[in-house]
Amino acid sequence: MSVNQAQTSATSPKVKLENPITAAFLKRNLKRTSPKLILTPTIERTLKEKLQSDPLMQSYYQYLQKEAKGILDQPLLKRELEGFRLLFVSRELIQRMSTLAMVYRIERQPEILQRIDVELKAVCAFSDWNPQHFLDIAEMSFGVALALDWAGEDLPKTTVSLAKKALIEKGIIPSFNEDGERMFWINGHNNWNAVCHGGMIAASLAVADVDPELAAKTISRALDKLPNSLKEYAPDGVYPEGPSYWGYGTSYTIIASNTLETAFGSDFGISESPGFMKGAEFLLNATAPSGNYFNFADSGDKYNGGVALLLSWFGAKTADALYFDHSFFQNPKEAGRFAGLGLVWLSQMDPKNTGKIAQNWLGKGTNPIAIFRGDSDYFAGMKGGKAQLSHGNMDAGTFVFDLNGVRWVVDPGNQRYYLLNKIGFNLAGHCQDCPRWTLLTKNNRTHSTITVNDEDFNVQGFAPIIDFKDQDQAEVSIDLSNLYFDNTKAVQRKFTKDSKRSLLIEDTFETNENTKSITWGLMTQAEVSLEKNGAVLKQNGKTLHIRILNTDKYNLSVISLDPPPLEIDKTMENLKRIEIRIPAWTLENGKGSLKVRLSED
């Protein structure tokens, strides 16, 4: 099977979960004792035993103790929206509950329990959990459900009753309002599908004793609909929305899997879905030695403590030390809202093997990528794909390049949604003429790719990876032809790791009567000095050379993007675009090529 065929076949895998869930099934099979969400009495005993002797467990628990102490001094949460979102309040509730409840289970301190009690009563008294943006409800529901499960046995019965009532009325029942605003997640394929169904599973398990019919209906729906987002991992774990959205969507897929496993003894096939367990491999491959991501699509920029926690779940499931971030647990910080869950997953780590990060890696799927590594500080990430994907950008053909500890070729990454939402900017639309593509972070002209006639990419055009050679001088080829409507006949791009300290980009063009110009672009924050047929880049005391190898007809030019073109654009210090502009009339017989080498010498 060719690389292209493998990609195409990966876009629509058959994913179907077991789904025996009925009210009768719940009554027969749901564990009656608590905790049963991620933590069980057996897991808790092991956790407490390891806490007595394991230095990393002790180090991480000390972090949780410190975090819990800090929470006690914070004001109670209020129903305060940022734009149209309550999401940051919901996430803060999870962070507080997962931390406080874990510390309470180990120390049984009355002041911790009291704080859990007042926190729950505060959020359950909100008028609603913001149904206009269901992510807010999903995450709030998980936080409340977790607190009930981990501390409910000692909470006042009135608080338990209030919380279960809120989970039903402010969480689960609104999830069945299919005609409501932004309810696409029910049948959706992106991170919303995983987050919302994952949150509803946890909520349903928490209230199954008082409304088994509703709980069963909700969990059954989730098992029917989760395959929509699960299939996006196939076949190699590449998350189409980028590495940081992998963290978001995967966190709630883990929550769905883990809570079902501990509550019923089975996750009904979630963790066995094609490509899902390979997602951790994707995340590690998409992370440079510096900790910077190959931040394609709407991804954030950098690996963090929250991701280390998710990887520990994969490590516990696979017994692979590759997913065990020893340095994080030794000196934990910024663990995020699932901090308390991290102690559970850490206690389940028992590595039996140690995998390795590949020197050269290909990830197929709906947004395929390839990664080259060389020496310890060499990293190149390249991608195909298309723009009309959830959180997709016009970034097919783009790449990032790190050498000598410097990211020389950058991706603009994502930008904060709040300011855009505040002015009513339509960020979510991915149609050809949608405003999204006017932003610096979204358009092809502000990514390191090829643009034809200075026009936007075809949002439905797919750029497949057509060849990949895993060898010392690794190669990957991408066919970009489908991105340009009928403005050119063919454009292909090949990346070669032609030495341990360089990257070669070879582009070939075949024009037609509509082709006016071809523009080669490279995004950088380095200082640029132009020279004939090339440029010298300087950053952080290091140097990189850019050289055109196969022709002397073209030179480089530099366009400053700091400040950015639009007031609402993301600002990146010293951001600029290096261009090579090729008028179509300069190509003999309508065909041409460009070879550009990036190297330290």
Side-chain angles (χ1 to χ4, degrees):
M1 180 183 290
S2 71
V3 172
N4 192 18
Q5 288 173 324
Q7 286 175 154
T8 302
S9 66
T11 60
S12 54
K14 294 180 180 178
V15 178
K16 185 174 177 62
L17 302 177
E18 301 170 41
N19 191 356
I21 305 298
T22 62
F25 181 90
L26 260 61
K27 291 174 183 177
R28 289 194 308 269
N29 296 283
L30 180 61
K31 293 180 181 176
R32 288 169 171 75
T33 57
S34 289
K36 57 177 172 286
L37 302 186
I38 299 174
L39 194 62
T40 67
T42 300
I43 293 170
E44 186 172 28
R45 281 194 296 271
T46 302
L47 185 156
K48 290 179 177 179
E49 288 171 4
K50 285 193 172 184
L51 196 54
Q52 297 302 311
S53 58
D54 187 324
L56 286 183
M57 290 278 292
Q58 292 166 354
S59 175
Y60 187 67
Y61 183 63
Q62 288 170 5
Y63 165 79
L64 291 179
Q65 288 177 307
K66 182 179 178 181
E67 289 291 298
K69 185 177 180 181
I71 292 168
L72 297 180
D73 296 329
Q74 295 296 315
L76 291 176
L77 295 171
K78 297 180 180 180
R79 191 186 181 283
E80 296 177 339
L81 273 63
E82 183 179 84
F84 57 77
R85 291 176 167 87
L86 190 67
L87 193 56
F88 297 100
V89 177
S90 299
R91 290 174 174 177
E92 178 65 19
L93 187 276
I94 296 173
Q95 196 275 334
R96 293 183 181 191
M97 294 298 93
S98 78
T99 301
L100 292 173
M102 175 54 72
V103 172
Y104 175 71
R105 292 207 67 84
I106 293 172
E107 300 183 19
R108 302 290 176 173
Q109 294 177 344
E111 61 269 29
I112 298 287
L113 182 66
Q114 182 183 13
R115 183 63 187 220
I116 295 170
D117 181 46
V118 295
E119 291 278 5
L120 281 177
K121 288 189 288 191
V123 298
C124 291
F126 288 179
S127 59
D128 59 46
W129 291 342
N130 202 33
Q132 67 175 324
H133 192 247
F134 204 87
L135 291 176
D136 310 2
I137 290 180
E139 296 220 48
M140 186 73 80
S141 296
F142 175 64
V144 172
L146 188 72
L148 276 180
D149 186 66
W150 286 12
E153 60 192 14
D154 294 335
L155 287 169
K157 291 182 180 180
T158 53
T159 301
V160 172
S161 178
L162 173 69
K164 290 185 178 182
K165 187 172 185 287
L167 283 173
I168 292 171
E169 295 181 356
K170 296 171 183 174
I172 299 172
I173 289 176
S175 79
F176 287 95
N177 179 21
E178 296 196 18
D179 295 327
E181 193 173 0
R182 295 185 179 88
M183 297 300 286
F184 63 87
W185 60 269
I186 296 173
N187 297 295
H189 295 252
N190 72 345
N191 66 84
W192 281 62
N193 176 271
V195 174
C196 296
H197 285 301
M200 291 300 95
I201 287 173
S204 298
L205 292 170
V207 303
D209 59 329
V210 296
D211 196 338
E213 294 287 346
L214 180 62
K217 179 182 176 182
T218 308
I219 297 170
S220 180
R221 178 188 59 181
L223 292 175
D224 282 344
K225 303 300 185 180
L226 275 171
N228 290 345
S229 57
L230 284 169
K231 71 179 183 180
E232 297 298 328
Y233 292 89
D236 299 315
V238 175
Y239 202 71
E241 300 171 77
S244 64
Y245 273 99
W246 173 89
Y248 192 26
T250 301
S251 65
Y252 275 89
T253 307
I254 288 173
I255 285 166
S257 170
N258 205 164
T259 55
L260 291 169
E261 182 73 41
T262 53
F264 292 110
S266 172
D267 74 352
F268 306 106
I270 292 174
S271 59
E272 296 173 0
S273 297
F276 178 68
M277 293 303 293
K278 292 183 178 181
E281 182 182 350
F282 153 70
L283 191 282
L284 291 180
N285 276 287
T287 305
S290 64
N292 290 324
Y293 286 144
F294 176 20
N295 55 326
F296 64 90
D298 278 352
S299 179
D301 298 334
K302 203 171 183 69
Y303 177 96
N304 57 42
V307 172
L309 296 187
L310 300 182
L311 289 176
S312 70
W313 180 86
F314 284 92
K317 290 282 286 186
T318 62
D320 192 337
L322 179 64
Y323 306 126
F324 181 30
D325 190 339
H326 186 279
S327 61
F328 167 76
F329 287 108
Q330 193 170 39
N331 183 28
K333 54 184 177 180
E334 298 180 3
R337 59 194 180 283
F338 305 122
L341 282 59
L343 192 66
V344 180
W345 297 330
L346 177 60
S347 74
Q348 296 173 316
M349 287 291 298
D350 186 19
K352 299 290 194 303
N353 54 79
T354 304
K356 293 183 179 179
I357 298 177
Q359 283 290 93
N360 310 304
W361 187 79
L362 172 66
K364 301 178 289 295
T366 57
N367 218 4
I369 69 167
I371 303 293
F372 296 161
R373 294 175 187 269
D375 290 349
S376 61
D377 59 359
Y378 181 108
F379 180 86
M382 300 73 62
K383 76 177 295 291
K386 67 176 182 177
Q388 201 172 68
L389 296 169
S390 175
H391 289 287
N393 292 329
M394 292 180 173
D395 60 1
T398 199
F399 68 106
V400 297
F401 184 55
D402 295 9
L403 190 64
N404 290 324
V406 174
R407 174 147 294 186
W408 296 102
V409 183
V410 304
D411 189 295
N414 202 8
Q415 65 188 98
R416 284 198 69 204
Y417 302 143
Y418 172 62
L419 295 178
L420 298 172
N421 296 148
K422 190 176 181 180
I423 63 171
F425 186 89
N426 178 14
L427 183 63
H430 282 66
C431 66
Q432 188 64 51
D433 298 321
C434 282
R436 177 180 179 85
W437 314 120
T438 64
L439 297 174
L440 179 148
T441 53
K442 316 304 177 193
N443 191 265
N444 47 281
R445 286 178 290 278
T446 40
H447 283 86
S448 301
T449 187
I450 300 292
T451 296
V452 175
N453 293 353
D454 288 323
E455 293 185 7
D456 290 353
F457 281 174
N458 176 1
V459 297
Q460 298 183 42
F462 179 69
I465 292 178
I466 56 174
D467 190 36
F468 177 76
K469 292 183 173 64
D470 180 8
Q471 54 195 26
D472 287 343
Q473 290 195 339
E475 297 179 2
V476 61
S477 298
I478 307 171
D479 187 352
L480 305 179
S481 305
N482 199 222
L483 304 178
Y484 307 108
F485 297 102
D486 59 353
N487 286 326
T488 189
K489 196 169 184 180
V491 178
Q492 291 191 359
R493 163 163 275 201
K494 182 169 80 170
F495 296 90
T496 304
K497 184 174 66 179
D498 65 329
S499 82
K500 294 180 179 180
R501 315 300 292 169
S502 62
L503 180 68
L504 178 66
I505 306 105
E506 300 177 74
D507 297 305
T508 57
F509 322 108
E510 188 172 354
T511 65
N512 61 21
E513 63 276 10
N514 297 320
T515 312
K516 299 174 184 176
S517 65
I518 296 169
T519 304
W520 185 100
L522 181 148
M523 301 291 287
T524 187
Q525 291 177 282
E527 297 301 324
V528 181
S529 298
L530 298 177
E531 55 185 25
K532 184 173 177 57
N533 298 120
V536 178
L537 277 57
K538 292 185 181 293
Q539 192 172 348
N540 299 342
K542 308 291 177 60
T543 300
L544 185 80
H545 295 270
I546 302 178
R547 294 188 179 94
I548 302 174
L549 300 184
N550 67 322
T551 179
D552 59 3
K553 290 196 295 186
Y554 311 114
N555 286 306
L556 280 67
S557 59
V558 181
I559 298 171
S560 175
L561 295 168
D562 180 16
L566 302 177
E567 187 176 348
I568 58 174
D569 274 328
K570 178 180 181 179
T571 298
M572 297 176 65
E573 186 177 3
N574 294 325
L575 184 67
K576 51 188 70 69
R577 179 171 72 250
I578 298 175
E579 285 189 348
I580 303 170
R581 297 187 69 85
I582 303 170
W585 61 265
T586 65
L587 301 176
E588 295 183 13
N589 300 317
K591 296 182 179 180
S593 66
L594 189 65
K595 293 184 179 181
V596 179
R597 190 171 191 253
L598 314 182
S599 66
E600 69 176 357
D601 54 24

